[in-house]
Amino acid sequence: MHLYRAHVLVCAGTNCSLKGHRAVRDALTREIVGRGLGDEIKVVETGCFGLCEQGPTIVVYPEGVLYCRVKAEDVPDLVGIHLLKGRRVDRLMYREPTRPVAVQTVPELDYFRKQVRVVLDNCGVIDPDSLEEYIGHGGYTALARALEDGPARVLAEVKASGLRGRGGAGFPAGLKWEFGAKAPGPIKYVVCNADEGEPGTFKDRLILEGDPHRILEGMAICGFATGARQGYVYIRGEYGLSISRLEHSIRNARELGLLGENIFNSGFSFDVEVRFGAGAYVCGEETALFESLEGKRGEPRIKPPYPTEVGLFGRPTVINNVETLANIPAIVNRGAAWYRSIGTDTCPGTKVFTLTGDIVNEGLIEVPMGMTLREVIYDIGGGIPGGRRFKMAQTGGTSGGCLPESLLDVPMDYDKLAAAGSALGSGALLVMDDTHCIVDVARVFARFFLHESCGQCAPCREGTLQLHHILDRFTAGRGSREDLALLGRLAKTMAGASLCPLGQSVPLSIMTTLKHFEPEYLAHIDDRACPAGTCRPPAGGMKPAAAGNGRRGY
Amino acid sequence: MSVTMVSLTIDGSPVQVPEKTTILEAALAHGMYVPHLCHHPDLKPAGICRVCMVEVEGQLLVSCRAAVAPGMQVKTSSPAVDKVRRAAVELLVADHDADCLACGKADSCKLLAVSRYVGIEPDRYETLRAHRLRKEVDETHPFIRRDYNKCVLCGICVRTCDEVQGVAAIDFAFRGYATRVAAIGDRPLQESVCESCGECVVRCPTGALLPIGFEKPAREVATVCPYCGTGCGLVLGTRGGKVVSARGERGHSTSQGRLCVKGRFGWDFVNHPDRLTTPLVRKDGELVESTWDEALELITERFARYRGRQAGVFGSPKTTNEEIYLASKFARVVMGTNNIAQVAHLCHANTVRGLIPVTGSGAMTVPVWQIKDAACHLVIGCNPTEAHPIVGLEIRQAVRRGTKLIIANPCEIDLCRLPHIRLPLRPGTDVALLMGMAKVILEEGLLDREFIAQRTTNFEAYAESLRGFTLEQAEAITGVSAELIRETARLYATTKPGLIFWSMGITQHSHGHDNVWALAHLALMTGNYGKPGAGIAPLRGHNNVQGATDLGITPPWYPGYQFCPGYELFPRLDKFKSSKEKFEKGWGYELPDFPGLSTVKQFHPKAKGWGPGEMWDLENQIKLWYIIGADLANAVADSKGVKRALQGAEFVVVQDIFLTDTAREADVVLPAACFAEKDGTFTATDRRVQLVRKAVEPPGQARPDWQIICEIGRRLGYRGFDFSSPAAVMDEIASLVPAYAGINHARLEQEELRWPVASPDHPGTPVLHMGEFIRVGKAEFWPLAYTPSPELPDADYPLVMTTGRNLHHFHHVITRRVAGLNDLCPEDYVELHAQDAAELGIGDGDQVTVSSRRASMVTRARVSERTMRGVVFKPIHFCEKPTNALTSAEHIDAVGTTPNTKVCPVRVEKVQSSA
């Protein structure tokens, strides 16, 4: 095996790709080969590194120096100064918003210091297209161990770990596996839900882009534990890079006999196919996902029966989120006790969050369950840009609730966030500063649901329309107190009468804005005024804002 | 199987229901209303309207999806339920047109019922309505109007189309508030696989789906559908003396409320302005309006002149049993002739005549409702979805429940959408295919030896006839691989009970009776007779063609399959004694003793194949025809010859409801009443005798056929034609026809009867041949041999034309006068395989010339892959492009006298545009 004296890791996640990582990669390769360093220094494309805001990012090892916003023009300096002369290129180094000094290496970053990387262990480190690199980092040893231990022990370990479903509902994964394992029948399925549709959520995409084999390994272990021989990854059709890496990885794993017939000569056979979603938000709901995967219109089924009894193609099916499955190899390898040492009692382990909105470090992070909102936003996220004031954070995506400043110290796990009137959900964390009008924000939420309601059940189909119109009236200065009462009534109806979690959760986001920011609503209704100054209707109605700063984001 | 009962309380009242019942069903069954919209008893629960919520232990449950549990305490109304439910209903109502006063569904609207029950608050409702979008009403379909402004998206139409009809032509399209029901690609319904059956319209809970031009009837009359022989229960609505609506009768065991497009929407011909309203008499070469007196006087004078062999009488399978009986009696008594014929001679005569010497009867062995009880269906030479749609539905339902389906047909019929084995045989090679199957069953010992030994005779002769025949020969003749024949034979022989469906593809051959024998033999050798769900289902084409063969408008027998003299000449019929004496006694007149001529032979006396050699070359001998309800000028093969014969006759009387092409050749035309204008009975394909009830008066001076026949009989001085009502005629039928002996109109008001009904206290015979074969005791096998069709393709006429019906039309006369059916299928076509079309340079929709050795005509090409290569299909419905001008009447079947219309060599050429 050839040894290199240095590795240059170039993030090839979606966000860095969009910011032009290819040009940087090509320039690096050209420069290194051109200077005759091809045998000494290796350029590696990796998955997401996390600091999406700062992309394209590269890390130079062995020192672990992080360079941000790198352009092709910077490459001669990087090679000439860092890789040849051993000095650092100061101007490209990351600056913490809280500290004036440029940060030297990855472990020194506040952004990384508070993170615990289980799921993202390999992301940004290995070449996701290289099965060898995955194996080099311990890949597929968990599957081998599982096959030795037998299904019962694997099941027991996953149950003991306390792992809860990371798709949003937080159902105990081990219990679900147990139901799947106990379900009778010769044919069962494992489905990986990668139809990540929650606005502001892109963790599954980056996990799949950065470490696709981890998911395949997790699915194979799940198949072994529950008695399934076939797995499907249902993935958003828009996730081109995830899809190509996943399909490439499936081919490689098959070639090495890590998927397919008689894996490791154990008699266990398991294979995975990738199926694409077609852009419907509701297909992230597991039963609508099955309908779509079966080739039908994506509409939720009524539960019970639950998927572990009647799932895909009418067979018992264990369906897990990408992040849930990504936890499995680590749990099998390192044990439930280790896993429980991370996070909180009721929610062990880590949680991957995607930080978006008015936050300095937009990106992908992984932290122990139970970290407070404040720590995540200020210590890792770097706070609110431009010195503006925090207004609210929405957790769990558009169907999650909004939290005001007074709730910044809520520990983030399933139960505590639910108690605070929100939801952990998919791990999206949207931060907004005080330039946003909360009523306008709620209107945008409503518009999203209006667009994404599947139309099957009446309360959701008709209710989303009505919610949107009421909020529209508010922002146009035409709302009334009666409308406000109607809003509450509709929300209750939708929560109580809708068929699936989509309609049932619509009220959460909208009603938490009302709960925490009622005066702002009343200003729109009683005074025809928008305190944030963003609501400017085309004609009549709204008074001009007295002291707003006039940013209109939507 | 005992049903476990569950006890629970609903609103405090204890109720008991079978386990797995839903809460909603439990409440409704006990007379407690729970508001609901998307629930329908025929359909699986959907749970999408969210209106049927109830409270169970503090939890809100959607009652149509929640099963009852022991001890459950259900509240159908509580503050929590009422509040959420009212708000949910308000949302729906707010998005609904509130023009209830003008809505055709107002008296049965479920949304209205639900809203009244839950209560709507007007103020809030107005607020919610503020942003409502008007949607365009879809009126592109000739029969079905879809108003999206009244649709609550309950999905009942979508589920009906899938679960009841097995068609799945519609589904939800788009998403969220834009969601609506649409056909594929959001194209008009008629461009999809929609069969226009209207079952969705029937079940729609609101005014979203209504028949176009819907008028509420003043009165409804339960009767029987006048189209095919399935015998569906039809409820006609009348108003102002006109038929204005039709619906299926839900309690009817055959159709269970279902109807096809023709039955549901095809009643408008009754009101058509073209209906004949006065007698017409030919004067100076022209048919002119006349009076009954003048017409009847003329008839009386001429009818007395040409009797016996010079007279030909046609009865009609569209008329009632009573009228058919009278036609048979009239021909033999008044006209002194056995030349009494009907259009069944062009279709199932091979079945009916062919099977009498084999199993004693050619009738369907089981009721239509037992189709689902068969484990295997062999569907050969028929297309039930289009020609017998409700039978097609029963087959679909059965196959969905696991019945195995074998389809033998040169065309890819609609049933091919179901899981099946298909045998794409060359037209006219059925005997070879069926002998191949029999050979496999024989060789592999898949026989029912006990059944053969106990209930049949002559099996050895049959087995001997198979000895020299090989599967390789079968493959060479039929084009179906030996392996596929073997697989099919095994499936049929081992999956019991098996039911064999056939229709014109089997019988319209000059060797049609061989086909029929081969099929009956398959059923016999596997013991598929005399058991529920087992046997044969020869699907009869007309509403009362079963009755027409039962009651003797055919030369060989008087009413009730009781033979005339002269049929000793014919194979196997010698064992049936002549009933001449019985009927001479019963009718009080001496009856003719010569064998009469059936349909083809009356017009084409030189047709070969039937009877002793001297019968193959007769001279024209008929000088007078009395034709009741038959458009023979289009229906009979080689139709030009028919017109020539009619023109050459001395006197022709046609009695019909429209001026058909046949009537145009008549000297006197008599206006008759149609099915909706008279009382009587029809006998369905499954032997069920049903009452037909008068709904409206006949137009103008039109009269029921039974009155006209009797009037002529009386005027000619004959006794036995003075009946007060059709019921009295039925009483005379019962006195002379053993199978109808126990049938009278009063019983039919109360009971479902299938013949034989031996006496007034006999319960009828749902399953035929239980214990022993009727009339013959033991069934008898016949040796088989394959005979090729007489006219085969050659270089000049390289394609084989096969003919038939399509879904939207029946024949030439009736459906062509229903505007909507004409919209759905407006013109003639010839359907050919895409590869044949490509080789001929023909594109879909091109004008083409179809030529046979007899005629040539221009029509439109329909290019598909439904027919097999080398085969073209042409429908029979368009008399302006008369398909039977192309077909041949040169060869007819030796037993059934059916012409060979299913194998007609033709040439198809593209019409070169002169520009």
Side-chain angles (χ1 to χ4, degrees):
Chain A
M1 188 178 165
H2 187 83
L3 292 175
Y4 295 91
R5 72 168 171 87
H7 287 77
V8 183
L9 309 190
V10 182
C11 172
T14 291
N15 292 332
C16 286
S17 302
L18 291 171
K19 290 180 173 173
H21 93 278
R22 275 195 193 83
V24 178
R25 175 199 64 193
D26 294 346
L28 271 168
T29 310
R30 265 200 314 275
E31 192 74 19
I32 287 167
V33 173
R35 295 199 189 213
L37 300 171
D39 286 344
E40 295 176 40
I41 301 163
K42 187 179 184 187
V43 178
V44 181
E45 275 188 293
T46 70
C48 178
F49 204 68
L51 263 175
C52 303
E53 174 72 15
Q54 302 286 332
T57 52
I58 67 173
V59 182
V60 182
Y61 280 99
E63 304 93 323
V65 177
L66 171 71
Y67 291 112
C68 301
R69 301 182 199 271
V70 180
K71 296 185 193 60
E73 306 88 272
D74 299 324
V75 166
D77 278 358
L78 283 173
V79 176
I81 297 172
H82 187 139
L83 292 167
L84 280 177
K85 296 183 183 159
R87 297 204 304 266
R88 291 171 190 188
V89 186
D90 227 35
R91 66 184 162 86
L92 296 174
M93 287 174 62
Y94 178 65
R95 276 162 223 283
E96 301 269 8
T98 46
R99 283 187 277 170
V101 219
V103 175
Q104 303 285 302
T105 62
V106 171
E108 293 172 52
L109 258 68
D110 278 349
Y111 187 77
F112 291 108
R113 270 195 303 149
K114 289 211 167 184
Q115 294 197 39
V116 173
R117 296 202 148 205
V118 174
V119 167
L120 301 180
D121 197 23
N122 289 338
C123 279
V125 179
I126 64 165
D127 174 0
D129 276 340
S130 165
L131 174 53
E132 290 73 17
E133 290 200 16
Y134 180 65
I135 292 171
H137 278 74
Y140 288 106
T141 52
L143 177 59
R145 175 183 291 231
L147 293 176
E148 274 179 18
D149 286 354
R153 254 186 87 180
V154 174
L155 207 57
E157 203 66 27
V158 174
K159 251 183 104 174
S161 75
L163 173 66
R164 292 171 66 172
R166 298 295 196 246
F171 188 80
L175 204 55
K176 191 188 270 189
W177 285 26
E178 191 174 59
F179 292 151
K182 283 183 178 162
I187 298 174
K188 298 178 187 179
Y189 296 107
V190 174
V191 175
C192 169
N193 185 346
D195 192 54
E196 188 176 45
E198 203 58 72
T201 312
F202 45 88
K203 65 177 178 75
D204 295 341
R205 172 185 212 159
L206 297 180
I207 294 168
L208 285 166
E209 285 173 9
D211 201 5
H213 282 288
R214 181 181 294 267
I215 306 307
L216 299 178
E217 187 176 4
M219 289 177 77
I221 294 169
C222 178
F224 179 67
T226 58
R229 288 177 48 116
Q230 179 66 47
Y232 291 94
V233 180
Y234 183 90
I235 186 165
R236 286 186 68 158
E238 299 92 326
Y239 281 8
L241 190 58
S242 303
I243 291 167
S244 62
R245 289 197 180 147
L246 201 51
E247 289 187 327
H248 175 85
S249 302
I250 291 171
R251 275 195 301 276
N252 283 356
R254 280 186 194 143
E255 279 164 20
L256 246 67
L258 297 166
L259 285 177
E261 294 295 316
N262 195 16
I263 297 167
F264 290 136
N265 242 342
S266 63
F268 171 64
S269 302
F270 189 80
D271 208 345
V272 175
E273 280 180 40
V274 181
R275 296 287 169 92
F276 312 145
Y281 174 70
V282 76
C283 289
E285 194 282 329
E286 55 195 17
T287 57
L289 184 153
F290 293 151
E291 290 284 305
S292 172
L293 212 160
E294 290 174 10
K296 301 176 199 152
R297 178 179 164 86
E299 285 180 341
R301 301 173 185 168
I302 291 178
K303 293 185 271 192
Y306 293 98
T308 46
E309 305 156 54
V310 181
L312 183 63
F313 301 116
R315 307 285 188 173
T317 303
V318 171
I319 176 165
N320 282 142
N321 171 258
V322 170
E323 187 186 344
T324 314
L325 289 164
N327 274 294
I328 298 298
I331 291 171
V332 171
N333 266 336
R334 304 178 70 175
W338 162 79
Y339 194 75
R340 278 195 166 281
S341 73
I342 308 165
T344 61
D345 277 356
T346 56
C347 304
T350 61
K351 181 76 193 85
V352 179
F353 288 97
T354 46
L355 311 182
T356 54
D358 299 324
I359 189 163
V360 171
N361 293 328
E362 284 187 82
L364 180 74
I365 63 161
E366 183 176 3
V367 296
M369 284 277 191
M371 186 176 274
T372 66
L373 199 52
R374 188 184 298 280
E375 282 176 283
V376 171
I377 293 173
Y378 287 95
D379 296 351
I380 298 177
I384 314 297
R388 287 190 297 271
R389 195 166 160 207
F390 174 86
K391 179 164 188 169
M392 66 101 170
Q394 188 185 30
T395 59
T398 302
S399 57
C402 294
L403 301 167
E405 205 171 354
S406 60
L407 292 173
L408 269 176
D409 291 313
V410 169
M412 301 224 286
D413 71 14
Y414 291 107
D415 310 312
K416 306 272 175 21
L417 273 175
S422 182
L424 184 63
S426 61
L429 183 56
L430 172 69
V431 181
M432 290 196 189
D433 65 27
D434 60 0
T435 60
H436 299 274
C437 165
I438 200 73
V439 184
D440 195 41
V441 167
R443 185 185 61 88
V444 173
F445 294 163
R447 194 173 59 187
F448 172 78
F449 290 119
L450 174 60
H451 184 250
E452 291 295 352
S453 165
C454 80
Q456 188 184 15
C457 78
C460 178
R461 179 182 69 239
E462 304 289 340
T464 50
L465 178 83
Q466 297 291 353
L467 284 180
H468 180 250
H469 282 310
I470 292 170
L471 289 160
D472 209 42
R473 287 204 286 278
F474 289 159
T475 56
R478 294 199 309 269
S480 66
R481 290 264 183 163
E482 287 72 35
D483 281 341
L484 204 57
L486 189 56
L487 188 74
R489 184 183 165 88
L490 284 169
K492 275 212 183 90
T493 306
M494 291 181 68
S498 294
L499 188 154
C500 87
L502 193 161
Q504 289 159 9
S505 66
V506 168
L508 183 66
S509 58
I510 291 167
M511 294 315 282
T512 52
T513 63
L514 181 59
K515 180 177 166 196
H516 298 303
F517 300 93
E518 195 176 2
E520 206 171 330
Y521 273 85
L522 294 178
H524 283 77
I525 293 163
D526 297 342
D527 307 338
R528 302 269 185 263
C530 173
T534 62
C535 296
R536 279 198 228 133
M542 188 69 66
K543 289 178 193 166
N549 45 19
R551 199 172 101 169
R552 184 172 170 87
Y554 307 96
Chain B
M1 228 168 43
S2 67
V3 181
T4 311
M5 299 298 279
V6 173
S7 300
L8 66 158
T9 66
I10 302 179
D11 295 337
S13 307
V15 300
Q16 274 208 328
V17 289
E19 63 176 348
K20 290 184 180 163
T21 305
T22 65
I23 297 174
L24 179 65
E25 288 166 338
L28 295 177
H30 287 83
M32 280 178 267
Y33 180 64
V34 173
H36 58 270
L37 285 170
C38 71
H39 164 83
H40 192 283
D42 297 349
L43 305 172
K44 289 183 208 143
I48 59 176
C49 75
R50 320 303 283 175
V51 171
C52 68
M53 271 177 298
V54 294
E55 190 177 317
V56 178
E57 282 118 46
Q59 205 189 343
L60 295 189
L61 288 181
V62 170
S63 66
C64 73
R65 290 290 301 235
V68 295
M72 190 181 247
Q73 296 181 335
V74 178
K75 288 184 196 164
T76 66
S77 186
S78 73
V81 167
D82 291 352
K83 196 168 178 188
V84 169
R85 188 165 60 190
R86 186 183 300 140
V89 172
E90 276 172 5
L91 284 171
L92 281 170
V93 173
D95 202 23
H96 187 91
D97 262 1
D99 60 344
C100 302
L101 289 177
C103 178
K105 276 275 176 68
D107 52 355
S108 58
C109 177
K110 282 201 178 172
L111 185 61
L112 201 52
V114 166
S115 323
R116 280 186 187 139
Y117 183 82
V118 303
I120 302 292
E121 288 178 32
D123 287 356
R124 191 159 50 228
Y125 163 74
E126 285 307 321
T127 310
L128 291 170
R129 280 182 90 72
H131 294 275
R132 202 166 158 246
L133 296 176
R134 285 277 331 156
K135 296 156 206 160
E136 207 171 323
V137 177
D138 179 1
E139 290 190 299
T140 54
H141 192 280
F143 297 123
I144 300 171
R145 177 180 195 271
R146 189 181 281 279
D147 185 347
Y148 295 105
N149 301 295
K150 291 180 180 168
C151 178
V152 291
L153 290 169
C154 64
I156 284 177
C157 56
V158 172
R159 284 177 287 140
T160 297
C161 197
D162 180 19
E163 294 173 28
V164 176
Q165 287 298 115
V167 172
I170 47 173
D171 202 343
F172 295 110
F174 309 103
R175 189 163 91 184
Y177 185 69
T179 303
R180 60 191 167 91
V181 176
I184 189 161
D186 200 26
R187 302 286 306 151
L189 204 49
Q190 56 270 43
E191 292 178 25
S192 72
V193 293
C194 170
E195 292 169 2
S196 306
C197 65
E199 291 295 332
C200 52
V201 181
V202 175
R203 288 177 181 76
C204 178
T206 70
L209 287 172
L210 277 173
I212 289 224
F214 174 75
E215 277 185 82
K216 202 171 156 50
R219 185 173 78 108
E220 287 195 323
V221 177
T223 184
V224 182
C225 178
Y227 287 105
C228 77
T230 306
C232 300
L234 183 75
V235 181
L236 285 180
T238 69
R239 164 173 171 158
K242 286 192 161 190
V243 175
V244 294
S245 69
R247 62 179 175 86
E249 190 188 338
R250 271 186 82 84
H252 195 277
S253 74
T254 301
S255 52
Q256 295 153 36
R258 299 163 301 178
L259 292 171
C260 71
V261 58
K262 295 187 280 268
R264 189 179 311 281
F265 299 117
W267 41 263
D268 206 23
F269 73 89
V270 176
N271 309 323
H272 200 278
D274 285 359
R275 281 291 299 277
L276 291 170
T277 54
T278 59
L280 307 176
V281 171
R282 190 170 297 277
K283 289 177 182 165
D284 303 325
E286 294 290 316
L287 281 171
V288 295
E289 288 192 2
S290 174
T291 62
W292 275 105
D293 269 342
E294 185 188 21
L296 289 171
E297 253 170 57
L298 192 58
I299 287 170
T300 315
E301 186 250 323
R302 297 294 171 92
F303 276 24
R305 206 184 299 171
Y306 306 102
R307 294 183 76 252
R309 288 179 197 268
Q310 290 186 320
V313 180
F314 276 84
S316 174
K318 288 235 108 33
T319 62
T320 64
N321 283 321
E322 292 76 5
E323 291 163 338
I324 284 160
Y325 170 82
L326 288 171
S328 179
K329 182 175 178 181
F330 182 92
R332 300 182 210 263
V333 170
V334 179
M335 304 309 291
T337 188
N338 285 325
N339 290 338
I340 166 76
Q342 57 153 317
V343 289
H345 298 157
L346 309 170
C347 46
H348 266 300
N350 285 330
T351 303
V352 179
R353 292 197 201 176
L355 288 185
I356 286 176
V358 180
T359 58
S361 168
M364 184 164 168
T365 51
V366 293
V368 168
W369 56 261
Q370 275 187 12
I371 288 174
K372 64 177 184 305
D373 298 335
C376 180
H377 289 163
L378 167 56
V379 178
I380 182 166
C382 65
N383 182 0
T385 315
E386 302 206 42
H388 301 86
I390 303 306
V391 170
L393 269 185
E394 289 291 312
I395 296 174
R396 273 188 199 150
Q397 298 275 3
V399 172
R400 283 195 163 195
R401 274 181 288 211
T403 297
K404 302 289 182 207
L405 177 62
I406 301 164
I407 297 170
N409 204 309
C411 297
E412 191 183 308
I413 59 172
D414 174 83
L415 289 176
C416 294
R417 290 168 62 198
L418 298 166
H420 69 286
I421 294 186
R422 162 125 185 262
L423 306 167
L425 77 170
R426 295 188 184 113
T429 64
D430 310 74
V431 171
L433 177 80
L434 299 167
M435 283 173 72
M437 284 176 67
K439 182 90 177 179
V440 174
I441 292 169
L442 189 64
E443 282 180 353
E444 301 192 0
L446 305 172
L447 307 158
D448 186 338
R449 291 189 191 285
E450 194 185 329
F451 185 91
I452 293 169
Q454 290 179 358
R455 300 203 47 191
T456 73
T457 60
N458 211 26
F459 181 70
E460 289 315 315
Y462 168 60
E464 180 61 29
S465 72
L466 296 173
R467 187 188 301 276
F469 190 76
T470 65
L471 275 191
E472 288 62 40
Q473 281 172 283
E475 176 173 328
I477 294 166
T478 61
V480 180
S481 78
E483 207 32 58
L484 194 54
I485 297 174
R486 187 182 301 280
E487 185 191 342
T488 309
R490 286 177 184 154
L491 181 67
Y492 172 74
T494 57
T495 316
K496 294 181 190 180
L499 188 56
I500 307 177
F501 298 84
W502 75 81
S503 199
M504 299 302 93
I506 282 298
T507 58
Q508 287 183 334
H509 295 281
S510 49
H511 54 265
H513 82 277
D514 293 318
N515 291 342
V516 171
W517 282 356
L519 287 166
H521 290 358
L522 271 190
L524 284 173
M525 69 199 294
T526 52
N528 270 313
Y529 263 107
K531 297 162 191 153
I536 59 164
L539 300 173
R540 307 303 306 265
H542 283 274
N543 53 321
N544 197 26
V545 68
Q546 185 62 49
T549 38
D550 293 348
L551 298 178
I553 46 173
T554 189
W557 57 78
Y558 306 113
Y561 303 100
Q562 301 175 86
F563 279 82
C564 301
Y567 282 87
E568 312 82 60
L569 290 169
F570 296 88
R572 293 293 311 262
L573 295 181
D574 51 347
K575 73 194 286 183
F576 298 100
K577 287 199 194 85
S578 161
S579 299
K580 183 161 167 272
E581 277 178 36
K582 171 179 175 181
F583 277 88
E584 284 178 337
K585 204 170 153 223
W587 287 342
Y589 288 96
E590 195 181 326
L591 298 177
D593 56 4
F594 61 91
L597 301 180
S598 58
T599 303
V600 176
K601 209 64 188 163
Q602 287 195 22
F603 295 104
H604 300 291
K606 295 197 186 310
K608 293 189 271 292
W610 171 77
E614 65 266 26
M615 305 284 285
W616 294 15
D617 190 25
L618 299 175
E619 293 303 319
N620 273 332
Q621 47 179 296
I622 296 176
K623 304 228 177 327
L624 176 147
W625 267 297
Y626 175 29
I627 298 170
I628 303 168
D631 186 16
L632 301 165
N634 284 307
V636 180
D638 194 358
S639 53
K640 280 183 190 164
V642 178
K643 283 186 188 158
R644 269 198 306 273
L646 289 170
Q647 284 156 2
E650 298 292 329
F651 190 63
V652 177
V653 177
V654 171
Q655 179 172 314
D656 214 318
I657 64 171
F658 289 108
L659 191 68
T660 61
D661 286 349
T662 310
R664 286 179 215 281
E665 307 294 343
D667 299 289
V668 176
V669 178
L670 301 175
C674 76
F675 84 107
E677 296 152 358
K678 59 192 175 187
D679 292 321
T681 57
F682 290 161
T683 304
T685 198
D686 64 353
R687 299 171 283 109
R688 179 173 178 188
V689 184
Q690 307 188 83
L691 283 178
V692 178
R693 295 183 181 87
K694 180 172 173 175
V696 288
E697 290 298 324
Q701 301 173 40
R703 297 180 185 176
D705 295 278
W706 68 273
Q707 288 180 6
I708 305 172
I709 298 167
C710 288
E711 173 80 22
I712 300 173
R714 285 195 303 270
R715 283 192 180 227
L716 283 160
Y718 287 86
R719 282 169 282 112
F721 291 96
D722 37 8
F723 294 95
S724 58
S725 67
V729 181
M730 181 54 85
D731 293 341
E732 183 173 309
I733 295 173
S735 72
L736 286 167
V737 175
Y740 283 62
I743 294 177
N744 57 60
H745 283 206
R747 272 193 88 181
L748 292 174
E749 287 284 357
Q750 309 295 330
E751 291 174 73
E752 177 175 332
L753 293 173
R754 285 179 180 76
W755 65 254
V757 188
S759 61
D761 54 2
H762 185 277
T765 313
V767 179
L768 207 55
H769 310 305
M770 283 176 104
E772 64 173 18
F773 284 90
I774 66 163
R775 306 190 76 204
V776 292
K778 282 191 175 186
E780 191 161 345
F781 281 95
W782 279 69
L784 276 182
Y786 165 71
T787 318
S789 296
E791 192 181 338
L792 292 168
D794 57 18
D796 291 336
Y797 301 96
L799 299 167
V800 173
M801 180 182 79
T802 184
T803 64
R805 284 185 191 151
N806 66 29
L807 176 67
H808 300 108
H809 288 293
F810 190 74
H811 48 34
H812 338 271
V813 182
I814 303 180
T815 50
R816 297 295 306 287
R817 287 185 172 86
V818 177
L821 293 173
N822 270 329
D823 285 352
L824 288 171
C825 181
E827 60 168 1
D828 187 51
Y829 57 89
V830 62
E831 190 161 1
L832 65 169
H833 191 278
Q835 273 175 283
D836 289 335
E839 284 173 17
L840 294 165
I842 293 167
D844 192 37
D846 282 355
Q847 293 281 318
V848 292
T849 308
V850 184
S851 315
S852 76
R853 291 186 174 87
R854 287 151 295 277
S856 181
M857 64 191 67
V858 174
T859 185
R860 201 173 283 283
R862 193 180 272 190
V863 175
S864 75
E865 291 185 353
R866 278 191 6 137
T867 63
M868 58 190 276
R869 289 210 62 188
V871 175
V872 305
F873 172 88
K874 191 170 182 300
I876 59 169
H877 313 296
F878 301 89
C879 38
E880 62 275 25
K881 308 283 182 190
T883 302
N884 275 321
L886 298 165
T887 56
S888 162
E890 201 182 336
H891 298 272
I892 58 175
D893 185 84
V895 173
T897 71
T898 304
N900 178 44
T901 43
K902 280 289 184 281
V903 182
C904 176
V906 293
R907 183 169 68 233
V908 180
E909 297 154 296
K910 184 170 176 173
V911 175
Q912 301 301 332
S913 60
S914 49

